[in-house]
């Protein structure tokens, strides 16, 4: 046992890096919406990024430790405290037996992550612990659940400065199967338009809104359904773009104007409602180089971890610490 859930947000699920290799059988990858957050949590706890974590969409919850448990908090910043004392985000902490961790609403972005030392030790299905709600694999975490953890040894009190990816920005894209159905004027307008994330969004996809007319492709009503993947940008009948996310369907017939690079997809998923996004086409060669640099940066994360220096004002039992290790005489 590890954590008892006393309160929980409405869309909190266990996620790891997802299931690969089942697209041809109608099952999309699922997995964390913000893969770098998994790597950051692993770096803070000194463990593998393959471990599962709790993904919290917009709101966290209240958790009680049934045994001493190392935890780390990454992804979209949220208010967090242990027994009422605020704790740092993007850092690792020791949650002692009986203590309560409270995580509130997001301050930026959409998805925050709670990592446990040893990882969340739920059942593996098709090579992953990821919940896939649209495929009915697993379910959302509920009050009264107990979140189990794996075997763990290690230290806490570490911090890591994350990349800024929680307020929108530029998304690099490559051409998709139907990019050629959009004329040059439409493509130029697409890359020069500032989009806002709409209210319609979940782990399947997110709608974008913009001023002016929509984006239409030639002969789009005659497009046959074919394979689609996370990152594809579909144009609906109204001409509004939808960026597909980890739990997207595996086939579709809407025209796809472009595909977001995997290294930029976390930025898309973490863009809050009303946040702005722009698009830039890159070549396949540039995309490969950008993706390689992204993977190299994830591999370097353990080297970026630093010691977390606590503020004395946030230590309620400060006087119980032995702050003086000895004395010397000024006259000897």
């Amino acid at each position: 046992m590890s954590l008892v859930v006393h309160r929980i947000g409405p869309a909190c699920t266990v996620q790891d890096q997802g299931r690969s290799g089942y697209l041809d059988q109608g099952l999309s990858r699922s997995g964390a919406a913000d893969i770098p957050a998994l790597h950051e949590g692993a770096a803070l706890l000194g463990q593998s990024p393959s471990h599962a974590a709790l993904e919290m969409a917009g709101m966290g919850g209240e958790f009680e430790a049934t045994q001493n448990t190392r935890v780390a908090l990454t992804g979209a910043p949220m208010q967090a405290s242990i027994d009422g004392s605020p704790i740092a985000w993007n850092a690792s902490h020791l949650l002692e037996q009986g203590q309560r961790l409270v995580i509130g609403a997001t301050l930026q972005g959409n998805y925050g992550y709670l990592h446990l030392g040893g990882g969340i030790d739920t059942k593996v299905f098709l090579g992953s612990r990821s919940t896939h709600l649209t495929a009915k694999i697993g379910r959302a975490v509920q009050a009264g659940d107990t979140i189990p953890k794996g075997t763990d040894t290690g230290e806490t009190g570490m911090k890591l400065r994350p990349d800024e990816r929680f307020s929108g920005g530029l998304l690099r894209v490559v051409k998709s199967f139907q990019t050629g159905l959009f004329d040059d004027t439409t493509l130029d307008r697409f890359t020069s338009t500032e989009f806002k994330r709409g209210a319609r969004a979940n782990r399947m996809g997110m709608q974008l809104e913009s001023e002016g007319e929509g984006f239409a492709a030639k002969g789009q009503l005659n497009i046959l359904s074919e394979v689609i993947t996370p990152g594809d940008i579909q144009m609906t009948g109204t001409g509004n773009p939808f960026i597909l996310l980890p739990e997207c369907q595996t086939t579709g017939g809407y025209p796809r104007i472009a595909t977001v690079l995997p290294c930029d997809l976390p930025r898309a998923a973490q863009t809050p409602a009303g946040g702005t996004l722009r698009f830039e086409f890159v070549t396949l060669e540039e995309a490969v180089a950008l993706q390689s640099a992204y993977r190299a940066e994830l591999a370097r994360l353990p080297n970026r971890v630093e010691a977390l220096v606590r503020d004395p004002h946030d230590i309620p039992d400060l006087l119980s610490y032995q702050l003086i290790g000895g004395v010397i005489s000024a006259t000897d």
Side-chain angles (χ1 to χ4, degrees):
M1 298 177 65
S2 178
L3 297 183
V4 174
V5 181
H6 291 288
R7 288 189 294 106
I8 194 70
C12 295
T13 57
V14 174
Q15 299 293 340
D16 55 21
Q17 297 196 42
R19 297 174 181 85
S20 299
Y22 297 96
L23 197 61
D24 62 338
Q25 300 178 48
L27 181 63
S28 54
R29 178 180 61 83
S30 189
D34 185 352
I35 292 294
L38 295 184
H39 287 261
E40 290 165 351
L44 288 165
L45 292 171
Q47 59 190 26
S48 169
S50 65
H51 285 317
L54 182 65
E55 179 179 273
M56 302 170 289
M59 177 67 68
E62 182 174 350
F63 312 89
E64 181 181 353
T66 62
Q67 63 187 94
N68 289 358
T69 303
R70 297 193 307 141
V71 300
L73 303 168
T74 66
M78 296 171 154
Q79 298 172 330
S81 63
I82 294 178
D83 283 354
S85 297
I87 58 173
W89 199 260
N90 249 75
S92 60
H93 309 274
L94 177 63
L95 191 62
E96 296 182 349
Q97 183 176 356
Q99 287 189 317
R100 293 201 178 194
L101 169 66
V102 175
I103 302 175
T106 52
L107 304 174
Q108 271 187 304
N110 298 300
Y111 297 100
Y113 294 83
L114 169 59
H115 310 259
L116 307 183
I120 294 179
D121 193 22
T122 51
K123 184 178 179 181
V124 175
F125 180 74
L126 296 179
S128 171
R129 291 183 169 87
S130 285
T131 299
H132 195 317
L133 295 177
T134 55
K136 301 187 183 305
I137 298 174
R139 61 168 175 80
V141 176
Q142 301 174 1
D145 287 349
T146 298
I147 303 175
K149 74 179 186 70
T151 303
D152 174 55
T153 57
E155 299 180 351
T156 53
M158 308 304 291
K159 67 178 181 179
L160 182 65
R161 178 173 296 181
D163 296 329
E164 200 293 309
R165 58 181 185 275
F166 307 112
S167 57
L170 179 68
L171 301 180
R172 281 80 57 93
V173 299
V174 293
K175 292 181 179 180
S176 192
F177 287 135
Q178 286 91 40
T179 303
L181 298 181
F182 296 85
D183 58 40
D184 290 342
T185 300
T186 301
L187 291 175
D188 289 342
R189 188 162 56 86
F190 174 70
T191 55
S192 63
T193 296
E194 182 176 82
F195 295 92
K196 289 186 177 181
R197 174 170 171 161
R200 296 179 61 190
N202 55 26
R203 284 179 45 81
M204 291 184 66
M206 50 185 281
Q207 182 187 31
L208 302 182
E209 300 173 344
S210 63
E211 297 181 356
E213 62 180 309
F215 300 82
K218 297 177 183 178
Q220 65 183 49
L221 296 180
N222 298 320
I223 296 173
L224 298 177
S225 291
E226 59 185 359
V227 63
I228 56 178
T229 62
D232 281 347
I233 305 173
Q234 288 185 321
M235 290 296 180
T236 62
T238 60
N240 290 112
F242 264 85
I243 301 178
L244 302 183
L245 295 177
E247 285 189 16
C248 67
Q249 67 274 28
T250 56
T251 61
Y254 285 121
R256 285 164 289 169
I257 195 169
T259 300
V260 179
L261 302 191
C263 56
D264 283 1
L265 202 52
R267 177 181 295 276
Q270 291 286 20
T271 299
T276 59
L277 289 167
R278 300 181 73 95
F279 297 99
E280 177 184 68
F281 278 98
V282 298
T283 66
L284 287 177
E285 292 76 12
E286 291 170 330
V288 169
L290 289 167
Q291 191 68 15
S292 295
Y294 161 78
R295 290 173 177 165
E297 185 60 28
L298 292 182
R300 285 193 291 267
L301 282 174
N303 297 326
R304 291 173 44 196
V305 171
E306 304 173 1
L308 175 65
V309 180
R310 298 179 64 187
D311 186 337
H313 294 92
D314 294 333
I315 306 177
D317 57 344
L318 179 64
L319 294 181
S320 68
Y321 285 78
Q322 179 63 40
L323 302 178
I324 300 175
V327 296
I328 60 173
S329 171
T331 59
D332 289 348

